[in-house]
């Protein structure tokens, strides 16, 4: 995760290097339609200690 920190810090210190930041391996693009488990997988690819998830249906709907 230190690489992510350094990449974000470098961008904030040099915002004119936006292109470099967008296409770095430390930037993760998440679409609003992504499945929750896919988002966890994206972050797990970057981390030494992997996250484990358990999806539980709480019987609540997002749309009414």
């Amino acid at each position: 995760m230190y690489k992510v920190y350094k990449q974000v810090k470098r961008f904030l210190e040099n915002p004119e290097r936006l292109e470099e930041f967008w296409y770095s391996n430390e930037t993760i693009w998440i679409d609003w339609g992504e499945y929750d488990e896919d988002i966890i997988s994206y972050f797990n690819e970057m981390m030494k200690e992997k996250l484990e998830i358990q999806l539980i249906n709480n019987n609540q709907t997002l749309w009414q």
Side-chain angles (χ1 to χ4, degrees), residues 20-31:
E20 176 186 322
F21 180 71
W22 286 143
Y23 295 103
S24 73
N25 291 331
E26 287 76 29
T27 303
I28 296 177
W29 293 92
I30 298 175
D31 184 281

Side-chain angles (χ1 to χ4, degrees), residues 12-25:
L12 292 174
E13 292 173 346
N14 304 290
E16 67 277 0
R17 299 174 74 176
L18 179 62
E19 189 84 7
E20 176 186 322
F21 180 71
W22 286 143
Y23 295 103
S24 73
N25 291 331

Side-chain angles (χ1 to χ4, degrees), residues 3-63:
K3 286 174 62 177
V4 174
Y5 168 79
K6 286 187 349 186
Q7 185 70 22
V8 171
K9 183 177 185 293
R10 190 176 319 136
F11 166 68
L12 292 174
E13 292 173 346
N14 304 290
E16 67 277 0
R17 299 174 74 176
L18 179 62
E19 189 84 7
E20 176 186 322
F21 180 71
W22 286 143
Y23 295 103
S24 73
N25 291 331
E26 287 76 29
T27 303
I28 296 177
W29 293 92
I30 298 175
D31 184 281
W32 68 271
E34 298 280 354
Y35 292 106
D36 294 342
E37 58 270 22
D38 291 338
I39 296 169
I40 298 298
S41 296
Y42 301 151
F43 283 96
N44 271 347
E45 290 173 7
M46 299 172 56
M47 298 171 52
K48 286 183 182 179
E49 295 182 31
K50 307 299 182 196
L51 298 172
E52 293 183 29
I53 63 167
Q54 180 180 10
L55 300 175
I56 299 172
N57 184 351
N58 64 5
N59 295 319
Q60 294 183 0
T61 60
L62 296 175
W63 315 109

